[in-house]
Amino acid sequence: MNISDIIVIGGGLVGSAVAYGLARQGAKVTLLDEGDQAFRASRGNFGLIWVQGKGFGMTPYARWTRLSAGLWPQLANALFDDTGIDVRLEQPGGFCFTFSDEEQEERRRRLQAIQDELSGDYPFEMLGRQEAIARVPALGPAVTGASYTPMDGHTNPLKLLRALHAANLERRVHYVSGQPVKTVTAQLRAGGSLFTVEGRWQAPRVVLAAGLGNPGLAEQLGLYAPVVPNRGQVLIGERTARFLEHPTLNVRQTDEGTIQLGDSMEEVGFNDNVTTGVMASIARRGVRTFPVLAGLRLVRAWGALRVMTPDGFPIYEESPKHPGAFVTTCHSGVTLAAAHAFRVAPWVAGASRPEEIGVFQAGRFSNPNYRPSHAH
């Protein structure tokens, strides 16, 4: 039997970030990773560290997202110190472009509502067409304006996942790849619970960070994790001369010069294939925003499954039935990676729960009066 202080189930961005935060505190951690046969959102995401617009209808999510974006330089520096891997963090602010006066007004209304809820601590600008072109000269004639916040940024998500895995190994996390988890049992004993995973690993604390595998595991530990898949498709265009210095909601130019376009939101079950209709729609929107894209070749395309709760907001909860068992699930594993490493991990290790996440318990879904706007 392999015994550790904490078992983290799930080796994607969420689980790896929590494991890294725990290892930095000196905990003996076992990280169980299903591997590449999993529906791994960590390898298919857009790489944005995005604050703009998040939290409309649920102000604590705006606070939580902004807090994580603020911690991101600390995470990038820590990973570089541990591994020498530069995750290519850039936080120059981000743009969301509009194509009509109505879109522009709706965007302003949403951002203003969040700013009001945060007592003004939420900077943003609404830009008319000429102001937007002055900032982003490559914009096409269909763009009528933009919203901009200085809080947004992006990273290379594949380098991030690699850096987290390398940093965990450097800090002696016991990493087990190719290990799907179906069973977790809890045994009450003096001083708390003892959790056994697949009959092989034991620890007094366990973290469920298995994404779309969380619902079945949560049920075994008196937790509730109602997550379902939501497909996003992403296109990659060939390398080209730099024309875009800022991340945007649907188009970004990577640190290597390639173009990334996305992202759809499709409820298609566990189908992570790509479809020509959605890819064509993504491409049209990209070219409409940036005509310079029209002549570029596409080199890759993929679909990936987000981990989506009924309202799109995270779940962070400790089991009332089996204290020491935690569920952590969200669909913004890149944006929230720093918060998971530096705020969620200390809570799992025994510190007080971060006050920002007290509302993100699954019990909200059984409240008939709960009517949030969707996180996305």
Side-chain angles (χ1 to χ4, degrees):
M1 188 73 69
N2 185 288
I3 299 175
S4 56
D5 298 326
I6 303 169
I7 299 168
V8 178
I9 302 174
L13 286 176
V14 176
S16 294
V18 172
Y20 179 56
L22 291 167
R24 282 173 56 85
Q25 297 177 83
K28 183 180 179 182
V29 181
T30 296
L31 178 60
L32 304 178
D33 185 4
E34 184 174 359
D36 287 345
Q37 69 267 34
F39 288 104
R40 194 197 284 278
S42 302
R43 294 198 189 280
N45 68 80
F46 209 58
L48 294 177
I49 299 164
W50 200 257
V51 179
Q52 184 175 165
K54 289 188 175 180
F56 180 68
M58 195 182 211
T59 307
Y61 190 58
R63 292 194 183 96
W64 184 237
T65 302
R66 187 162 189 210
L67 176 147
S68 190
L71 290 172
W72 243 99
Q74 182 181 341
L75 176 62
N77 289 336
L79 290 172
F80 184 79
D81 289 345
D82 279 351
T83 69
I85 298 172
D86 182 353
V87 299
R88 306 302 295 179
L89 171 66
E90 295 181 8
Q91 291 177 291
F95 291 92
C96 179
F97 301 109
T98 57
F99 295 90
S100 69
D101 292 342
E102 291 76 19
E103 279 188 23
Q104 183 86 347
E105 176 54 26
E106 173 62 17
R107 191 74 185 164
R108 185 205 63 75
R109 186 182 70 81
R110 281 177 163 260
L111 297 181
Q112 187 63 59
I114 300 171
Q115 187 183 74
D116 291 345
E117 287 286 329
L118 294 182
S119 303
D121 186 24
Y122 192 87
F124 75 91
E125 299 176 63
M126 297 304 302
L127 308 175
R129 174 170 170 76
Q130 293 308 316
E131 294 172 300
I133 290 176
R135 305 267 193 104
V136 187
L139 289 175
V143 175
T144 60
S147 60
Y148 167 83
T149 89
M151 304 176 286
D152 301 315
H154 56 164
T155 187
N156 184 312
L158 297 181
K159 291 179 180 177
L160 171 61
L161 186 61
R162 178 178 163 230
L164 283 169
H165 281 193
N168 279 325
L169 293 174
E170 182 70 22
R171 290 184 175 269
R172 302 187 183 279
V173 169
H174 179 50
Y175 174 73
V176 183
S177 183
Q179 179 57 58
V181 174
K182 301 298 182 184
T183 61
V184 184
T185 59
Q187 176 186 349
L188 288 175
R189 59 175 189 167
S193 298
L194 180 66
F195 301 98
T196 303
V197 179
E198 294 297 317
R200 296 176 58 190
W201 295 276
Q202 283 188 334
R205 292 176 183 264
V206 63
V207 181
L208 306 183
L212 294 168
N214 271 344
L217 296 174
E219 189 176 353
Q220 297 173 48
L221 296 174
L223 288 159
Y224 182 45
V227 296
V228 295
N230 180 281
R231 185 173 68 190
Q233 297 186 42
V234 176
L235 309 181
I236 301 296
E238 64 182 326
R239 288 181 177 84
T240 188
R242 184 155 295 277
F243 70 92
L244 187 57
E245 299 294 339
H246 295 74
T248 80
L249 193 56
N250 302 114
V251 180
R252 76 181 189 98
Q253 189 164 22
T254 71
D255 59 296
E256 297 168 341
T258 56
I259 306 303
Q260 194 164 345
L261 302 97
D263 56 347
S264 62
M265 296 191 70
E266 308 163 75
E267 295 182 3
V268 292
F270 287 88
N271 182 342
D272 63 354
N273 294 331
V274 294
T275 59
T276 54
V278 172
M279 287 192 295
S281 177
I282 291 172
R284 281 195 299 270
R285 182 174 58 194
V287 172
R288 192 181 182 203
T289 309
F290 297 107
V292 68
L293 298 177
L296 292 182
R297 293 176 296 177
L298 293 176
V299 295
R300 289 195 306 282
W302 63 76
L305 301 180
R306 299 180 186 87
V307 180
M308 196 68 76
T309 63
D311 59 6
F313 299 110
I315 299 172
Y316 303 108
E317 191 164 4
E318 183 176 11
S319 173
K321 184 178 181 181
H322 299 291
F326 298 80
V327 62
T328 62
T329 189
C330 72
H331 81 275
S332 293
V334 175
T335 298
L336 297 177
H340 292 157
F342 299 133
R343 299 301 301 277
V344 170
W347 169 48
V348 168
S352 298
R353 182 180 66 191
E355 61 182 34
E356 299 92 348
I357 66 173
V359 299
F360 298 123
Q361 299 185 54
R364 67 186 186 265
F365 300 121
S366 61
N367 180 352
N369 298 317
Y370 179 63
R371 295 287 187 274
S373 299
H374 199 278
H376 215 76

